[in-house]
Amino acid sequence: MNGGESRFEWTAEELRTVGHQVVDLVVEHLTGLRDEPVFRPVPQTVVRGFETEAVPQDGAPVDAVLGEFAARVEPWPFGNGHPRFYGWVNPPPHPLGVFAELLVAAMNPSVAGGNHAAVHVERQVVRWFAELAGLPGTAHGLLVSGGSAATLTGLAVARHRAALRAGRPVREDGVQAGAGGPAAARFVVYQGTEGHGSARKAAELLGIGSGNVRVVGSDDGHRIRVPALRDAIAADVRAGHVPVAVLASAGTVNTGAVDDLAAIGDVCAEFGVWLHVDAAYGGPAVLLLPRFAAVRAALGRADSVALDPHKWLYAPVDAGLVLFRDGAPARDAFSLVPPYLRTDDDPAGVGGPVWFSEYGFEQTRPFRALKVWMLLKHLGVRGYRELIEHDLAVADRIAAAVAAAPELQLLARGLSVVCFRCRPPGGPDGEELDELNRRVLRAVQLGGGAFLAGTTVDGVFALRACVVNPRATAGDADALVAQVRAGLAADGAPGRAGQADQAGEAR
Ligand SMILES: Cc1ncc(COP(=O)(O)O)c(C=O)c1O
């Protein structure tokens, strides 16, 4: 263990020694974060080290490798483990999830399929979430790398179904076969202005093309305008195009808006169009909190759902989930089984249930389900409810502090997202105001005292806080707003007298 030897077998004692060292590193990292800046860029000297270091020819002792992790990697995290991180949709990992990953790596199965425990754990996780989502007994699904992969997978199945109905065998012909050439019938999908970019990527990858993503306008609440959606589908049907899917959101990334899934479901049913709901972010709140019962009931009408345990269920990255209302079309869309792998349902044998690899594009698949399974067993629905309610309360607190500050303007508030901007009385407007907010955002992010992201809301640049962080206290929420006010004061914009001290105190 002390030399860079190529020995593969470790004794129990060696495993324990290194295991304890690793656990110590985990403990130091998780407990030490609060005392460190939320974020700091990796110093250029360290970056240059990564860029120039040669491929190791001789191995180094384990102690040295762990020491390098401690010196060159651990000090510059992404930031999302910190109680004051409110950027994008990246939570701190639940500690049990961290340890679950170690167990997964020790077992190291491929969950392509088979009759080993990981397969059954994943099937159970899928069944639990399908039940929580109100999907019928025909439902199936699989864990994937995240929301992007979940939407790509759901949309692939939607495209397959729509193509078959249109007499276009897309698995054999690809998207080349539109009778009459490129100007003929087009596959089209529908998304709101606030829909996630991963849907557009998926449309491009599937040959639908981003030019055939109809972007439907939003209402005042940043939700898809359903009459406009209906008009768009009707126009495409009249023109002979093939509507593939509506991509609705249960929690947009920008503002946390939840589309009117019931009304959208009606439109999809009217035209026989696939409904994919991107609940990658908002899904856990919708599935678990009583106040979202109506949304949940409508979600149960979806043909496919994306829901990310690595977002608001605090599982370590990666863990996305795609659910299908009916597993059969998904198998039709993906199953490509060479004879040496083919196993039909073989419950008592080596094959086990029909393989997961027949329902998606990954063959070798990691055991993503264990951390999700362990966390749901440990926290239960009730425990999760409490954590999510906590996040919503922290978001409320941020929104209230923003509303109370004369130089801040609340721009949007949905689920645990708060969008706002600095708008000092008598200060600049238009592009200049956007620039001011960009500078403040950068100052806050680099200041290390709190972290939030930027976005555009209704055409203006906004600061965006997304609370998926049970580590955040009320004081942390106050500190975020104080940091923004301090950033504005330091920028020298008018209307800021006397706020910097307050910001300092809250830190
Ligand atoms: C609403 C929504 N959909 C999809 C995604 C993409 O998920 P992933 O980054 O896990 O691929 C995100 C990511 O933040 C999201 O918030």
Side-chain angles (χ1 to χ4, degrees), residues 88-90 145-151 194-199 249-254 278-282 306 308 310-311 317-320 464:
W88 305 293
V89 197
N90 298 105
S145 64
S148 306
T151 290
E194 298 288 314
H196 195 266
S198 54
S249 301
T252 60
V253 66
N254 243 8
D278 177 355
Y281 156 45
D308 280 354
H310 71 199
K311 292 191 167 69
V317 175
D318 67 11
R464 173 184 166 282

Side-chain angles (χ1 to χ4, degrees), residues 150-244:
T151 290
L152 177 62
T153 308
L155 193 53
V157 182
R159 185 193 66 160
H160 182 66
R161 188 186 75 161
L164 284 186
R165 285 183 180 175
R168 290 168 60 174
V170 75
R171 286 194 64 172
E172 293 75 24
D173 293 344
V175 289
Q176 321 288 356
R186 286 169 178 272
F187 293 120
V188 284
V189 299
Y190 307 84
Q191 190 186 24
T193 44
E194 298 288 314
H196 195 266
S198 54
R200 182 169 288 254
K201 271 195 196 173
E204 290 175 7
L205 281 171
L206 291 167
I208 293 168
S210 51
N212 298 307
V213 178
R214 306 277 189 256
V215 180
V216 179
S218 309
D219 64 16
D220 290 349
H222 305 104
R223 308 182 318 160
I224 288 179
R225 288 182 51 237
V226 182
L229 171 69
R230 197 189 170 283
D231 289 349
I233 298 177
D236 281 326
V237 170
R238 275 197 306 276
H241 297 316
V242 182
V244 169

